[in-house]
Amino acid sequence: MAATILSVSTWLAMAVLSVAFLLTIRRVVAGPTLPDRVLALDMLVGIVIGFIALIAIRTGFNLYIDIAIALGLVGFLSTVAFARFIMPRVTDAAKDPATSGKTRVQRRKR
């Protein structure tokens, strides 16, 4: 009985993670801005960690948990690096007096 519940719940979790993965890929491709894409890539790391954890549960092989932890650390560091890369662009755009007070649509019409 417990094995059946575990099996059904892991398949259900795989389905939910698959839908989340597809929606997040859509956000990476569609954007619309670079920070949106970076956030979506960070979300992809979290989803992949979830997949790895589910595989570890299904197989009983505990080494997958170590891999998931390592991926989490690398994902965090890459998100911080992307944020430091993006930050000068965002602050420069905020300091630009030509674009202050205008929406993105108004800037596009120029």
Side-chain angles (χ1 to χ4, degrees):
M1 178 69 175
T4 305
I5 292 172
L6 183 64
S7 178
V8 169
S9 62
T10 54
W11 281 112
L12 183 65
M14 285 276 192
V16 169
L17 282 173
S18 297
V19 170
F21 186 80
L22 292 175
L23 291 173
T24 306
I25 290 292
R26 180 180 169 271
R27 178 53 57 196
V28 169
V29 172
T33 63
L34 186 59
D36 290 331
R37 289 185 171 103
V38 170
L39 188 62
L41 287 173
D42 189 39
M43 186 67 191
L44 278 178
V45 170
I47 292 169
V48 169
I49 289 172
F51 275 122
I52 292 172
L54 282 174
I55 291 170
I57 291 170
R58 290 189 61 82
T59 62
F61 195 55
N62 293 333
L63 184 62
Y64 287 127
I65 301 299
D66 295 336
I67 294 169
I69 291 170
L71 180 61
L73 292 172
V74 170
F76 171 74
L77 292 175
S78 66
T79 302
V80 170
F82 274 129
R84 298 226 0 131
F85 174 72
I86 293 171
M87 193 168 45
R89 294 180 182 189
V90 173
T91 56
D92 289 344
K95 290 179 184 177
D96 188 10
T99 60
S100 64
K102 295 182 180 179
T103 64
R104 186 172 21 167
V105 174
Q106 289 172 335
R107 279 184 258 147
R108 235 186 269 156
K109 289 182 180 178
R110 290 173 43 190

